[in-house]
Amino acid sequence: MKHIFISLTFLIVSLCASDKITAQSYNISIQLENCMDSSAYLAHYFDGRIFADDTTQLINGAGTFSKDKVLEQGIYVIYLPSQKYFDLLIGQDQIFSISADPKDFIGSIKIKDAEETNAFHNFQVFMKSQNAKSKQLQEEYKKAGNNDAAKEKYKKAYKDADIAVHQYINQLKLDYPNSFVSLFANFTLSPKVPDFSKDIPESTPNREKEIQRKSYLYNKDHYFDHVNFADNRFLRTPILKNKLQFFYEKILVQSPDSIVKESVKIIEQAKSDSIFFQYLTQYSLNYAVKSKIMGMDAAFVKLAKKYYLSGQASWADSTLMAQIREKVIKTQFNLLGMKSQDLLMESPEGEFVRLHEVDAKYTVLYFWEPDCGHCKKVTPRLKTEILDKYKDKGIKVFAVCTQDQKELWAEAIDSYELYDFINCYDPQFQTNFRIYYDVYSTPIIYLLDKDKKIIAKRLDVDNLKTFLDNKLKEN
């Protein structure tokens, strides 16, 4: 446990409103044996972190968390300044007592008057023993070396352990139907992918790929079978964010279409719960914004238009809406796969050149400034390492000076000997190139195909070389 937050931001407060519980207060008394700490915190999980709800002073290890309000149901943590802590589930029973020894919280906890909280603790004890058993089996499996008989024995033991976990959780569902303890225990499970090799004939072309495809689709479609996105208690658990992160980063194909499709699928399931709806919408939008994968800004544009610019994101204030709207405007015209916006610009000689009239297999669209420090490093490399090397393979550079200082620009052209570039500028700033290509700093490099579709953007020279080499090999 790394962080504890005593005060909550407005965002977190707005996200953590709301289960209707009939009780009007909570009172949780704790008795910690052999405890040297003078205080303890009660906190809930949210977004992979914990946020404090209450604190108590300990006298001889005894203290009480109590307020005239109810706690939102979910997984909580009692945390000591000495960095020791333990998890507990808080359900409808919110007046109960706990005794434990910080030297071994899991092994020593005793809970009175909270049946569901006690069931969660028993589940923790069981899973701790199963994890220890699995670790031992792993070590023994490695020691088995080439002993196939021993390996088969350990594989069976793994399978038996997995069956035992499923049986325990199924029993929880029977003993505590519709309780959050059974829902949470179920949520810890991963989807069990069927063995599709039994269904696909040996004669099937590319059989292994077909098995992999079916396994991938099943895993993707069933990954969240055990979570109800209309139940915001799942937000207050330590595993939701990790599962979302794994789903987005490791399971989904990293393409804008895939991210948007699956994001909308889970967001729509949360529509009936405003808290979950907000969280999932924000998560998917932030994932698209933070992604390092070229072209993922298309996912941002689609999600922003669907949920924010449409007015569905009721939580977004005017400042956030303005920021999102501005980013959409700057991005929506230069997405990968789109035909580039045409530019009619003036050459140093006063003639006019048009981007879409450039006859080239690939066009490097380069935005730069003569007095930009970074441009002074990139521009000569673009000439010697790109144009000089690739021009006989049908590559041209359409170089746009983003300033209107013609003399300074002309001097830079002469200095770098950029005579083979298609040099141009927009002295009256009539082409809207800054909006169409999101040019608010320099240098910026786009790569266009023969039809002037955008196939790469915001490249550096090294990435441009790699991209060109790969494209030319494909052709």
Side-chain angles (χ1 to χ4, degrees), residues 4 6 33 43 55 66 100 106-107 126 150 168 171 199 206 223 242 266 291 312 320 325 332 388 424 448 472:
I4 187 160
I6 305 303
E33 305 298 330
T55 183
S66 180
I106 297 296
F126 171 75
Y168 189 99
Q171 190 61 47
D199 303 326
N206 299 314
Y223 187 77
N242 289 339
I266 63 175
S291 175
Q312 293 188 58
L320 177 59
R325 189 174 292 108
Q332 63 182 342
D388 290 352
C424 54
L448 316 179
L472 291 169

Side-chain angles (χ1 to χ4, degrees), residues 14-15 46 228-232 235 240 263-285 303 306-308 310-316:
S14 69
L15 278 171
F46 186 85
N228 178 3
F229 289 118
D231 184 348
N232 65 57
L235 286 170
L240 176 67
S263 293
V264 170
K265 181 178 175 181
I266 63 175
I267 289 170
E268 292 298 310
Q269 293 179 54
K271 276 281 188 75
S272 63
D273 187 285
S274 60
I275 303 166
F276 229 143
F277 175 58
Q278 177 180 348
Y279 180 81
L280 293 174
T281 304
Q282 290 175 327
Y283 186 94
S284 61
L285 195 76
L303 290 169
K306 182 171 180 64
Y307 292 112
Y308 283 83
S310 68
Q312 293 188 58
S314 58
W315 58 85

Side-chain angles (χ1 to χ4, degrees), residues 22-77:
T22 54
Q24 298 300 312
S25 63
Y26 68 86
N27 187 293
I28 304 169
S29 61
I30 59 174
Q31 177 65 61
L32 305 180
E33 305 298 330
N34 304 310
C35 180
M36 303 302 293
D37 292 279
S38 59
S39 59
Y41 297 103
L42 176 68
H44 67 273
Y45 284 98
F46 186 85
D47 195 40
R49 297 175 289 172
I50 60 171
F51 296 87
D53 295 277
D54 203 352
T55 183
T56 183
Q57 297 301 308
L58 299 176
I59 300 175
N60 296 324
T64 301
F65 300 110
S66 180
K67 285 184 181 178
D68 291 330
K69 56 177 282 190
V70 293
L71 293 165
E72 307 293 344
Q73 294 184 35
I75 308 300
Y76 283 69
V77 57

Side-chain angles (χ1 to χ4, degrees), residues 339 355-356 358-363 394 448-453 455 475:
K339 182 152 186 176
L355 174 62
H356 283 186
V358 174
D359 184 15
K361 183 178 289 185
Y362 295 104
T363 302
L448 316 179
D449 68 8
K450 62 182 181 61
D451 298 316
K452 301 302 176 285
K453 288 184 179 179
I455 57 175
N475 294 330

Side-chain angles (χ1 to χ4, degrees), residues 94-194:
Q94 300 196 2
I95 300 176
F96 59 92
S97 61
I98 300 174
S99 63
D101 187 338
K103 293 180 180 178
D104 178 19
F105 272 132
I106 297 296
S108 64
I109 290 177
K110 290 183 176 56
I111 299 166
K112 184 179 179 182
D113 297 327
E115 190 175 356
E116 190 177 1
T117 303
N118 194 55
F120 172 77
H121 170 64
N122 291 337
F123 174 65
Q124 285 183 299
V125 173
F126 171 75
M127 290 305 297
K128 182 181 179 182
S129 68
Q130 289 299 108
N131 290 335
K133 187 183 298 183
S134 294
K135 185 177 179 181
Q136 182 180 353
L137 286 172
Q138 288 175 1
E139 292 173 353
E140 291 175 355
Y141 183 85
K142 290 178 182 177
K143 292 177 181 177
N146 296 324
N147 188 333
D148 292 338
K151 285 187 174 181
E152 284 302 317
K153 173 187 172 184
Y154 296 129
K155 285 180 181 178
K156 184 180 183 304
Y158 279 129
K159 186 176 180 180
D160 291 342
D162 183 59
I163 291 172
V165 170
H166 281 78
Q167 288 176 338
Y168 189 99
I169 292 174
N170 286 333
Q171 190 61 47
L172 266 181
K173 287 190 274 188
L174 294 174
D175 294 340
Y176 302 92
N178 302 317
S179 68
F180 189 59
V181 66
S182 63
L183 294 175
F184 175 77
N186 223 30
F187 186 39
T188 63
L189 299 175
S190 297
K192 197 171 185 66
V193 180

